[in-house]
Amino acid sequence: MDADKLAVQVADLTVAYQEKPVLWDVDLDVPQGVLMAIVGPNGAGKTTMLKAILGLLTPAAGHVSIFGKPYQQQRSLVGYVPQRGSVDWDFPTSVLDVVMMGNYGKLGWVRRPGAADRRAAQSALEKVGMADYADRQISQLSGGQQQRTFLARALMQDAQVYFMDEPFQGVDATTERAIVDLLKELRAQGKTVLAVHHDLQTVPEYFDWVMLLNVRRIASGPVNEVFTDENLRAAYGGRVGFLNKRQDHEPA
Amino acid sequence: MSSAQIEIQLIGIVVAAACALPGVFLVLRGMAMMSDAISHTVLLGIVLGFLITGDLESPWLLFGAAAMGLLTVSLTELLNRTRLVKQDAAIGLVFPALFSIAVILISRFARGVHLDTDAVLLGELAFAPFDRLMLFGALLPRSLVVMSIILVINLLFILALYKELKLATFDAGLAAALGFSPALIHYGLMGMVSITAVGAFDAVGSILVVAFMVAPAAAAYLLTDKLERMLLYSVGLGALGAVGGYWMAHLMDANIAGSMATVIGLLFLLCLLFAPERGLLATAARRQRQRWEFAQTMLTIHLLHHEGTPEAGVENRLDHLHDHLRWEPAFAQGVVQRADERGLVRLENGSLHLTEAGRGLATTMLTEKR
Amino acid sequence: MVAGSASLTSDKTMSLLDLLNSLLFDHTIRTVALGTATLGIVSGVLGSFAVLRKQSLLGDALSHAALPGVAIAYMLTGSKSPAVLMLGAGAAGVLAILLLINITRQTRLKEDSVLGIVLSVFFGFGLLLLTFLQRNPDARQAGLNTFLFGQAATLLTRDVVTMAIFGGLALLFVAVFWKEFKLLSFDREFGASLGLPMPRIDMLLTTLLVVAVVIGLQAVGVVLMSAMLVAPGAAARQWTNHLGRMTLLSALFGALAGVAGALLSSLGTGLSTGPVIVLCISVIVLFSLVMAPNRGLLWNYLRQWRNRRRLRTEAVLENIYLMSSQHDDPSHPHAITALEAVSGAGNVRRSLEELQRRGLAVPYDGNKWALTAEGVRAAQTRLQPAQKDEK
């Protein structure tokens, strides 16, 4: 595949925490315009991989490029949805304010978000069905609403590639529907999404590409080619049969 | 050595030992800053006790102070439970308020009495031998007697509840499931911290109480994983700090408490740097070694990964490791050389190939994962 | 008796007037009040961030750690100028932070242990240095001792000017890097993913916290400085859900406590300013925790009480309806005693009166009650989802 057409290209990515390997020599090619699920058992290094791609962790080796150029030069093309539980939702701020944080990277130093940013944030909230919640204090949100707020913040980044860490974790049915619709819409616009995902059952329904990860890459590609019983067994160590949804309870 | 000198050192050792015992549990349970809070608020207990009894020597002062220590703990928890403020803020709100009340009460009602706030904060160990009391027909320094009693209480508490304390510290959930009340152990420990703080700050001041409780225990935690040894080491380190601190103060004619805290800090620094396994130097050396080993494993996995693939010719070239693995050329050279010496890879015309041993290493590392 | 109490009141009015008078016209008291107000504002603003970042005890460690810095600065320069001493304190604070961050990151020790060690060892070392200085008669007057408990009464105009300059600079930085500090406090990793240099922003904010500590040392002292960083922010958080408003309110609370403390301790009571300021701010905290709308304890209690009453009233409504439906007549009246038997404990009469106010129930000859047509509808809508669940 031509490197310029690849939205994300990860090569030889190795990450270690205190010299203990978490990811071994992972390669990954993601073409533009796909919705890719990253699945694997707990402790497989899924979140680590997202963070290493985003430069939040320093990898021991390997490199990442976005549309053919090193990640550092392409930051403005990337959006990030961290795990919902990674922040303190009792922080004194409003939904609109959180969404506007998506633009802080582009605003530069000193400048404050203005009316145009406010409008953009409002329309991002509309896209996730949260238009009426703009002035709500974030501690008053349900889990699903928190997740949608984070998604709106990523939309605010107006990126080409989105990295999402467990967007479906602990959300209500309405939110799940809203996220799926949003993902499809992003794909229709030619955007690329990589999402860490836990629920094997919904992979074929929500995503069209998948990567199976367990410290090393087991397989990656279109769901109908790669999401096989054999690969799942390789990733989950035979403990999880396809579609019987047993998760292993290893600590992360 | 004069007998006063010996007595001061003895008091220092006993204080250090009495503080180190609860200190170990504070450090392990992540509650070290409670010692700071309690050592300040016991002053309020002493002041209130004095205002009620009118006697600075009354043993009730000790109880009042210990009760105030426990009150500090429960006020903090109460505040935390409202969920209006976080745990750390709760501590930071409670103890300055109680301490301020104590300072104000002293300046309003207890002026002129030997209860000035400087002495409470800083302590004056040099005067300890002059304050004596009759016991078993001998005239002993008051601090020595009081602190020895507290040391014995602490020892008895820990011996009696050793199993429970250990379990509650390392696995609070299991301890609760086995029927040990975590609240009982928690408050028992906090009571121990309180009476120790009261007894000790008369001699060494409240700030040094914190140093004696936290620093030796933390240093011991860098030296060992075993609770028994950690208790022993921290008592030893505390005693060493007390004696060393006394002599440093003696030589420099300086404040004894400040000198003891400084020496304890230096002892901690030594452990921090030189502790086997956990010290900074040992860690750095281990990391360095692991870095080379890790890099060699990484190299074998990288080679295995691309073995027999079309791009193998490119990926496996020595001069391409820089591009692919983002290694500095010198580092890549070093890794390849070491891997070659270990017989993991061989180099042919600038192209790297796995040996059987190298392939074996890569496969094992990949299958056992972590 | 009457005359006595009257004179007491007039004393009070007099002293209040006196206070106002001295605030406006007494140079010394005005200086002190200005100084403590400056301290309150700066520590209120920076303390807000510390509270939100769960670094409330960092201020405690930093203020203790400043002592050797002050002593060394004096030993090196021989100068008592507040700027020199503050620089020394600041340098020691930054060193303490670097140690704190690195020891916590490199070893298995938890942050609280390292805080405790840094706090006590730095302070002990400072104490050691002070004993040398105290042998020097000149140093006795250097006011180094005031760093323990602070002595706002000794604040001179030049001290206040120095405090205002350092504090003003710190506040300027907060204004300039406002959105970065907000991002740092709320979601540091997201900030890093945007390419912002979060470690440097963190260091900047923490250094500003050191500045706030240093400014306050002379006025409230090492021991009580930590309260000035925690309390205003913790109080302000209760009143608002907006970071900007919280920070402003926190500054206001800090200033208020500072001025009040300075005035109260100037009344000739012989109280030192630091503890009085801390008590003032503690009272503000207590008031905020109890009274603040939405979050406050009183508010919460009232909300729970109202909820309980609403639930009781609705239970009575459902019970009347269920009892009546056995009669084929939903508006059949029932005796209160029967309702009490079904509804159990709780004041049934009050619930019924509440229903009457809402036009859902009417009394029949004294002790009997029945639902109105609207009450029947209300009961039906309430019971519907429950009946659906049973199917």
Side-chain angles (χ1 to χ4, degrees):
Chain A
M1 251 175 282
D2 193 358
D4 297 349
K5 295 275 161 45
L6 289 176
V8 182
Q9 190 176 29
V10 176
D12 306 314
L13 187 69
T14 297
V15 181
Y17 280 127
Q18 317 230 320
E19 313 305 327
K20 284 219 175 69
V22 186
L23 285 179
W24 269 130
D25 210 56
V26 170
D27 292 330
L28 177 66
D29 291 344
V30 186
Q32 192 186 347
V34 303
L35 303 178
M36 175 181 253
I38 302 173
V39 298
N42 287 332
K46 304 183 294 285
T47 297
T48 305
M49 191 168 107
L50 277 201
K51 288 189 176 173
I53 291 176
L54 291 164
L56 304 176
L57 295 170
T58 318
H63 56 118
V64 175
S65 44
I66 307 287
F67 291 110
K69 290 199 190 123
Y71 172 75
Q72 281 74 12
Q73 297 169 24
Q74 304 282 66
R75 227 168 215 144
S76 58
L77 301 181
V78 169
Y80 175 42
V81 181
Q83 277 184 25
R84 183 161 56 84
S86 65
V87 302
D88 175 11
W89 288 95
D90 194 34
F91 194 83
T93 192
S94 67
V95 170
L96 193 73
D97 216 29
V98 171
V99 175
M100 281 196 291
M101 287 179 187
N103 223 9
Y104 281 12
K106 285 175 187 151
L107 272 178
W109 301 97
V110 184
R111 271 187 54 204
R112 297 284 172 81
D117 301 289
R118 214 169 285 276
R119 276 195 301 277
Q122 189 65 48
S123 84
L125 278 173
E126 267 160 38
K127 283 185 199 140
V128 296
M130 294 268 293
D132 298 338
Y133 292 83
D135 295 324
R136 198 62 84 82
Q137 209 276 323
I138 56 171
S139 67
Q140 296 161 2
L141 301 179
S142 71
Q145 290 164 343
Q146 292 173 353
Q147 191 65 58
R148 282 188 271 164
T149 304
F150 265 7
L151 282 165
R153 182 175 69 173
L155 292 179
M156 185 79 181
Q157 292 182 272
D158 193 22
Q160 291 302 313
V161 187
Y162 289 94
F163 294 89
M164 304 183 180
D165 201 346
E166 307 215 9
F168 294 102
Q169 176 71 34
V171 301
D172 52 285
T174 323
T175 302
E176 184 142 349
R177 207 60 251 162
I179 300 176
V180 172
D181 291 345
L182 182 69
L183 292 182
K184 304 253 146 99
E185 195 192 320
L186 287 173
R187 181 174 55 191
Q189 292 169 11
K191 316 262 169 151
T192 312
V193 176
L194 276 79
V196 171
H197 194 58
H198 245 121
D199 183 8
L200 292 178
Q201 272 183 311
T202 51
V203 167
E205 190 187 338
Y206 294 173
F207 297 92
D208 44 20
W209 276 51
V210 67
M211 172 192 198
L212 292 145
L213 184 76
N214 192 356
V215 183
R216 64 199 176 93
R217 188 193 65 179
I218 308 297
S220 69
V223 169
N224 50 18
E225 289 172 24
V226 174
F227 203 58
T228 61
D229 235 350
E230 188 189 349
N231 281 338
L232 278 167
R233 212 167 319 213
Y236 287 83
R239 274 171 291 179
V240 172
F242 180 50
L243 293 188
N244 71 7
K245 222 185 153 190
R246 258 173 50 206
Q247 302 275 323
D248 81 11
H249 291 288
E250 246 176 285
Chain B
M1 269 193 276
S2 74
S3 69
Q5 284 181 327
I6 295 175
E7 279 170 8
I8 291 175
Q9 289 177 67
L10 264 179
I11 294 171
I13 292 173
V14 175
V15 170
C19 286
L21 294 176
V24 165
F25 294 98
L26 288 181
V27 166
L28 287 176
R29 293 163 73 101
M31 301 191 307
M33 287 304 276
M34 278 315 288
S35 67
D36 185 40
I38 290 177
S39 70
H40 283 93
T41 55
V42 287
L43 178 64
L44 181 57
I46 291 183
V47 176
L48 290 177
F50 169 71
L51 290 180
I52 292 166
T53 62
D55 176 13
L56 258 185
E57 311 282 305
S58 162
W60 289 108
L61 264 58
L62 212 67
F63 288 104
M68 195 53 71
L70 290 179
L71 184 72
T72 310
V73 178
S74 41
L75 276 181
T76 307
E77 278 171 8
L78 200 69
L79 209 52
N80 191 29
R81 216 170 309 140
T82 64
R83 299 179 49 192
L84 295 178
V85 297
K86 306 257 178 329
Q87 168 81 27
D88 58 325
I91 298 176
L93 288 171
V94 169
F95 90 84
L98 295 182
F99 186 71
S100 296
I101 296 175
V103 174
I104 288 173
L105 285 180
I106 290 176
S107 65
R108 287 291 279 180
F109 303 110
R111 214 175 310 188
V113 188
H114 167 69
L115 222 186
D116 71 284
T117 39
D118 274 20
V120 165
L121 270 187
L122 314 178
E124 200 33 280
L125 206 47
F127 299 141
F130 301 113
D131 184 9
R132 305 183 87 89
L133 86 178
M134 272 309 261
L135 197 73
F136 308 126
L139 204 57
L140 296 169
R142 209 174 111 83
S143 305
L144 188 60
V145 175
V146 172
M147 282 318 291
S148 301
I149 295 172
I150 291 173
L151 174 61
V152 171
I153 294 177
N154 287 353
L155 263 178
L156 288 178
F157 180 81
I158 289 179
L159 285 176
L161 290 176
Y162 189 72
K163 207 169 65 257
E164 288 80 358
L165 272 170
K166 192 171 178 178
L167 198 59
T169 300
F170 293 106
D171 192 345
L174 180 63
L178 291 179
F180 304 137
S181 155
L184 189 72
I185 289 167
H186 179 62
Y187 275 91
L189 188 61
M190 287 300 154
M192 187 156 72
V193 172
S194 300
I195 59 163
T196 313
V198 191
F201 87 4
D202 199 23
V204 296
S206 59
I207 306 291
L208 189 57
V209 170
V210 180
F212 267 136
M213 284 199 181
V214 183
Y221 191 39
L222 295 173
L223 294 173
T224 178
D225 282 339
K226 292 208 166 62
L227 183 57
E228 296 83 359
R229 286 207 192 140
M230 199 177 150
L231 286 164
L232 253 152
Y233 290 171
S234 55
V235 169
L237 284 167
L240 199 63
V243 174
Y246 171 75
W247 285 105
M248 190 166 103
H250 183 74
L251 290 176
M252 306 199 317
D253 188 22
N255 176 287
I256 299 177
S259 174
M260 284 181 176
T262 308
V263 173
I264 288 178
L266 289 175
L267 288 173
F268 172 77
L269 196 66
L270 285 179
C271 292
L272 178 69
L273 289 175
F274 300 111
E277 291 186 49
R278 307 245 178 233
L280 291 184
L281 291 182
T283 311
R286 190 175 56 241
R287 293 248 168 96
Q288 189 64 27
R289 203 176 54 237
Q290 283 173 340
R291 190 166 154 250
W292 286 114
E293 279 175 13
F294 182 70
Q296 291 170 44
T297 315
M298 200 152 76
L299 179 65
T300 60
I301 287 173
H302 178 72
L303 294 177
L304 178 74
H305 204 144
H306 296 288
E307 219 170 34
T309 61
E311 69 271 16
V314 191
E315 293 274 353
N316 294 0
R317 289 197 65 79
L318 177 57
D319 36 354
H320 279 222
L321 288 179
H322 169 67
D323 282 348
H324 290 284
L325 297 174
R326 294 282 137 146
W327 283 349
E328 292 299 317
F331 182 68
Q333 194 79 48
V335 175
V336 169
Q337 196 185 329
R338 283 172 165 81
D340 193 21
E341 279 163 18
R342 272 175 70 194
L344 297 172
V345 298
R346 88 201 121 71
L347 187 62
E348 281 166 13
N349 318 323
S351 186
L352 288 160
H353 299 278
L354 279 178
T355 62
E356 263 324 300
R359 198 169 295 118
L361 174 70
T363 329
T364 353
M365 289 312 281
L366 280 178
T367 43
E368 77 178 22
K369 295 192 303 190
R370 269 148 289 165
Chain C
M1 264 323 269
V2 177
S5 75
S7 82
L8 210 74
T9 343
S10 77
D11 266 4
K12 240 182 216 160
T13 4
M14 271 306 287
S15 65
L16 263 178
L17 269 178
D18 276 350
L19 273 180
L20 207 60
N21 207 26
S22 41
L23 186 59
L24 292 173
F25 302 111
D26 184 314
H27 177 73
T28 320
I29 294 176
R30 203 174 54 207
T31 310
V32 173
L34 272 177
T36 50
T38 308
L39 144 77
I41 290 170
V42 178
S43 56
V45 169
L46 287 152
S48 292
F49 284 101
V51 169
L52 290 174
R53 299 180 67 203
K54 303 184 190 75
Q55 293 182 331
S56 295
L57 295 172
L58 188 61
D60 194 28
L62 287 179
S63 56
H64 283 81
L67 190 63
V70 173
I72 289 174
Y74 176 73
M75 283 163 116
L76 291 180
T77 63
S79 158
K80 299 176 232 168
S81 122
V84 169
L85 299 186
M86 282 184 189
L87 280 178
V94 171
L95 178 68
I97 285 180
L98 290 176
L99 278 175
L100 193 69
I101 293 174
N102 283 304
I103 297 179
T104 314
R105 191 182 297 156
Q106 302 283 338
T107 68
R108 65 201 313 215
L109 295 173
K110 296 193 192 87
E111 196 186 12
D112 63 298
S113 298
V114 187
L115 272 174
I117 294 171
V118 166
L119 176 154
S120 57
V121 171
F122 268 63
F123 187 80
F125 183 56
L127 212 58
L128 185 73
L129 295 174
L130 278 191
T131 50
F132 291 119
L133 295 180
Q134 273 161 347
R135 261 174 254 144
N136 174 350
D138 187 40
R140 265 186 194 283
Q141 303 154 11
L144 291 178
N145 281 338
T146 64
F147 276 89
L148 283 186
F149 282 102
Q151 213 149 35
T154 63
L155 284 177
L156 303 173
T157 309
R158 63 163 192 177
D159 299 324
V160 177
V161 169
T162 318
M163 287 167 77
I165 291 174
F166 277 109
L169 273 175
L171 293 185
L172 188 69
F173 270 102
V174 172
V176 168
F177 294 103
W178 178 259
K179 73 176 192 299
E180 284 77 15
F181 288 165
K182 187 191 330 184
L183 193 54
L184 174 77
S185 311
F186 176 62
D187 195 347
R188 182 195 176 114
E189 259 195 353
F190 183 74
S193 85
L194 293 176
L196 295 170
M198 297 322 269
R200 256 177 282 168
I201 295 172
D202 189 352
M203 200 59 214
L204 176 65
L205 182 55
T206 316
T207 308
L208 296 181
L209 190 69
V210 173
V211 174
V213 168
V214 165
I215 287 175
L217 283 183
Q218 201 185 348
V220 295
V222 162
V223 185
L224 296 174
M225 188 53 220
S226 61
M228 289 311 290
L229 287 171
V230 184
R237 177 67 189 92
Q238 314 309 325
W239 298 91
T240 171
N241 282 325
H242 182 274
L243 180 63
R245 267 170 244 144
M246 171 181 164
T247 313
L248 284 179
L249 204 57
S250 176
L252 181 73
F253 286 158
L256 207 65
V259 174
L263 290 181
L264 285 177
S265 56
S266 74
L267 285 175
T269 46
L271 298 177
S272 46
T273 324
V276 180
I277 294 180
V278 171
L279 272 195
C280 289
I281 193 68
S282 299
V283 169
I284 295 179
V285 171
L286 202 60
F287 181 77
S288 305
L289 290 177
V290 176
M291 301 301 290
N294 291 322
R295 277 174 75 101
L297 295 174
L298 191 64
W299 189 276
N300 252 327
Y301 178 79
L302 280 178
R303 188 162 43 206
Q304 274 171 16
W305 181 72
R306 223 176 295 141
N307 273 346
R308 265 201 305 273
R309 206 178 70 174
R310 207 196 61 226
L311 286 177
R312 257 205 318 266
T313 310
E314 278 164 4
V316 170
L317 174 75
E318 286 171 17
N319 284 333
I320 306 184
Y321 176 78
L322 289 174
M323 286 163 74
S324 314
S325 47
Q326 294 163 356
H327 289 266
D328 294 335
D329 171 17
S331 56
H332 186 88
H334 288 278
I336 281 194
T337 40
L339 281 168
E340 271 169 351
V342 180
S343 306
N347 197 330
V348 174
R349 182 175 288 276
R350 191 191 290 163
S351 299
L352 286 168
E353 278 160 6
E354 165 77 25
L355 288 173
Q356 185 183 12
R357 247 197 316 283
R358 280 157 56 186
L360 302 178
V362 280
Y364 275 86
D365 40 85
N367 268 333
K368 287 189 170 177
W369 287 74
L371 292 182
T372 62
E374 206 177 327
V376 172
R377 261 196 309 278
Q380 279 168 342
T381 21
R382 275 197 50 77
L383 286 165
Q384 230 156 26
Q387 283 165 351
K388 226 183 253 166
D389 278 353
E390 278 165 24
K391 276 180 196 166

